[in-house]
Amino acid sequence: MALADAILACLTERPMTGYELAKTFDSSIGFFWKADHQQIYRELSKLRERGHIQGREVVQSGKPNKLVYTLTTEGKVAFRHWAARPSTPASIKDDLLIRIYALDAVDIEPLRADLMARQEHHRDRYERYERILKKRFPQGTASPADMGKLLGLRIGLRHEQMVAEWCEEAITALSAISCAAVVPFDAGTRKKETGSSD
């Protein structure tokens, strides 16, 4: 998938300015496809050159004029063609998992701290998805036009919950390793003293 396809997907909902598209990426589609504002504006220029979108200038009083982008017929055809192709399963690239893989060669405490921060991140995202879900779909149902958004939120919730739970499992496992690796000095001393008195 290319950023262009994600932008076209956004514009199937309604015409938007570059700013509105960037905000949409920040609050919804960006959960599944990351892009910063500059990347979006650059891609909008390319899409116009290809004839997939058109920009209409809207005059505003007291503010700079704004450019509203809409899909062209060619853009709709291109998007439908892209959407009909088989999807590619996402591949994981996560440096945390590489550190976990080489667990016996790394320091445990920084890794535990990293896992705790990661767990907090996924809990926060879970809560954010939950707020959006309750606000947009309070009954847990959606119209056919919004069903894709509801399904996206549901997989987002499940993913964040699963990763947060895995982080908890990993933290517990690392804590057990950390405790097992440390032998209290006074316990060893008492054992020797007990042995000598028998």
Side-chain angles (χ1 to χ4, degrees):
M1 177 175 165
L3 175 55
D5 301 310
I7 290 172
L8 294 179
C10 287
L11 291 175
T12 62
E13 193 172 359
R14 62 185 171 85
M16 295 187 205
T17 64
Y19 175 77
E20 287 167 335
L21 275 164
K23 295 305 283 180
T24 300
F25 266 79
D26 287 344
S27 64
S28 61
I29 207 163
F31 293 139
F32 311 111
W33 194 263
K34 286 286 173 206
D36 63 39
H37 294 201
Q38 287 181 340
Q39 288 173 307
I40 291 167
Y41 282 104
R42 279 197 301 269
E43 202 61 45
L44 283 169
S45 297
K46 292 177 190 173
L47 285 166
R48 283 183 82 181
E49 287 169 15
R50 284 185 218 136
H52 290 176
I53 62 170
Q54 61 187 14
R56 178 177 56 88
E57 191 173 29
V58 175
V59 179
Q60 302 186 106
S61 59
K63 296 192 264 186
N65 295 346
K66 63 182 182 180
L67 205 54
V68 178
Y69 296 98
T70 20
L71 283 174
T72 61
T73 303
E74 293 85 353
K76 289 175 185 175
V77 170
F79 181 71
R80 289 177 72 87
H81 178 72
W82 169 79
R85 294 195 320 237
S87 63
T88 307
S91 58
I92 299 174
K93 289 182 181 177
D94 191 331
D95 59 349
L96 175 62
L97 296 181
I98 300 300
R99 292 170 201 171
I100 294 277
Y101 178 82
L103 189 58
D104 60 336
V106 300
D107 293 330
I108 297 289
E109 281 316 304
L111 191 53
R112 275 182 74 243
D114 197 8
L115 276 162
M116 289 167 84
R118 186 73 72 95
Q119 182 183 36
E120 194 62 31
H121 167 79
H122 288 288
R123 283 178 175 165
D124 287 346
R125 282 176 67 97
Y126 177 87
E127 287 166 10
R128 189 173 178 191
Y129 279 126
E130 205 169 34
R131 284 194 302 274
I132 295 168
L133 190 67
K134 285 176 181 172
K135 185 178 178 181
R136 289 198 66 178
F137 307 103
Q139 307 303 316
T141 57
S143 67
D146 283 338
M147 183 55 73
K149 295 170 183 65
L150 176 59
L151 290 170
L153 282 166
R154 284 182 176 160
I155 194 172
L157 272 168
R158 289 176 191 166
H159 173 76
E160 300 305 333
Q161 181 177 17
M162 181 270 296
V163 177
E165 287 171 356
W166 174 84
C167 285
E168 187 170 342
E169 178 187 344
I171 291 163
T172 302
L174 292 186
S175 296
I177 290 171
S178 188
C179 290
V182 177
V183 179
F185 177 74
D186 61 340
T189 308
R190 271 202 300 273
K191 202 170 187 182
K192 286 179 186 172
E193 285 171 359
T194 308
S196 64
S197 62
D198 285 336

